[in-house]
Amino acid sequence: MRKGKEQQKKETSRQLELFTMRAGELTAAPTGGTGTERLNRVELLSLLERQRTLTENLLERIVDYGNLKRAYRQVASNDGSGGIDLMDKEELRQCLGKHINTLREMVLTEKYEVSAVRKVEIQKPDGGKRMLGIPTVKDRLIQQAIHQELCRYYEPVFSESSYGFRPGRSAHQAILKASEYIKDGKEWVVDIDLEKFFDKINHDRLM
């Protein structure tokens, strides 16, 4: 069921309370605090309200025919393996030709269910093994459609120092930036890889 405006406003208020409690700076009650604290709360509430407004019709834009077409082209170009249903990109194309409106309706009514992923182990350069989860091509299509829409709003506000998994950015650019830091007199470049990060992160807090 789609969320009503009153429910969305309540969630925005809960988000505001959560952020102010975790920030550690705005510990006063909503009606109290210094002028700076009240201003920060107003700015944060304004930001949350603006984000909510921008994404109010997000599902409709995600399943827009043009957006789904671009998503399919991207998924097909990656030429990845099939998921647990073993459906390939050509079968997905045929499925969309017959059932695209059904797929759109399932997303819009929030009845779309993600399939389990197919687990595959690959060899790591250091001799260990990495477990990969391969989604179905239909799930990858929806993920890509979501990604394309969210990028429009969040990509412009990401850090200029971030290079991983972003459009138009690469590890080579990160290396060039590190080289610039060295030329400016910096002596250390630290490369950190958190072991099994996505297995261990608290997904409830992330969401």
Side-chain angles (χ1 to χ4, degrees), residues 168-184:
R169 289 172 174 254
S170 67
H172 290 93
Q173 291 175 323
I175 293 172
L176 289 174
K177 178 57 69 173
S179 299
E180 291 179 15
Y181 291 146
I182 291 173
K183 290 177 182 178
D184 290 340

Side-chain angles (χ1 to χ4, degrees), residues 7-22:
Q7 185 179 355
Q8 290 176 334
K9 288 181 180 179
K10 288 180 180 178
E11 290 189 358
T12 298
S13 298
R14 285 200 296 270
Q15 288 180 44
L16 178 62
E17 292 175 7
L18 180 65
F19 285 134
T20 54
M21 285 189 294
R22 287 183 179 172

Side-chain angles (χ1 to χ4, degrees), residues 3-148:
K3 296 174 182 176
K5 292 188 180 297
E6 287 302 317
Q7 185 179 355
Q8 290 176 334
K9 288 181 180 179
K10 288 180 180 178
E11 290 189 358
T12 298
S13 298
R14 285 200 296 270
Q15 288 180 44
L16 178 62
E17 292 175 7
L18 180 65
F19 285 134
T20 54
M21 285 189 294
R22 287 183 179 172
E25 302 171 351
L26 312 178
T27 55
T31 55
T34 66
T36 301
E37 290 170 344
R38 287 195 296 272
L39 177 61
N40 286 340
R41 283 194 291 270
V42 169
E43 289 176 346
L44 183 55
L45 182 59
S46 176
L47 174 62
L48 291 171
E49 183 67 20
R50 186 164 66 253
Q51 287 182 336
R52 187 184 67 79
T53 301
L54 285 173
T55 58
E56 195 165 16
N57 299 315
L58 187 59
L59 284 182
E60 286 82 353
R61 294 196 297 274
I62 286 171
V63 295
D64 173 79
Y65 289 107
N67 190 48
L68 288 176
K69 184 176 181 179
R70 291 192 300 274
Y72 173 78
R73 285 201 298 261
Q74 182 60 47
V75 170
S77 69
N78 291 336
D79 204 25
S81 302
I84 59 169
D85 60 1
L86 300 181
M87 179 185 287
D88 60 24
K89 61 183 182 183
E90 178 57 28
E91 291 172 317
L92 174 63
R93 186 185 67 79
Q94 295 175 13
C95 177
L96 291 174
K98 297 177 181 178
H99 306 295
I100 189 169
N101 287 328
T102 301
L103 177 65
R104 295 178 73 248
E105 184 64 22
M106 289 177 68
V107 174
L108 288 172
T109 56
E110 300 182 13
K111 294 179 180 177
Y112 182 85
E113 294 186 4
V114 178
S115 301
V117 298
R118 182 164 66 91
K119 293 183 178 181
V120 176
E121 283 188 339
I122 62 171
Q123 203 70 28
K124 296 173 65 175
D126 61 5
K129 290 186 177 181
R130 183 189 302 277
M131 179 68 73
L132 293 183
I134 302 177
T136 64
V137 286
K138 188 183 295 184
D139 286 345
R140 297 208 294 268
L141 171 80
I142 298 299
Q143 289 171 4
Q144 180 64 31
I146 293 171
H147 169 75
Q148 289 170 178

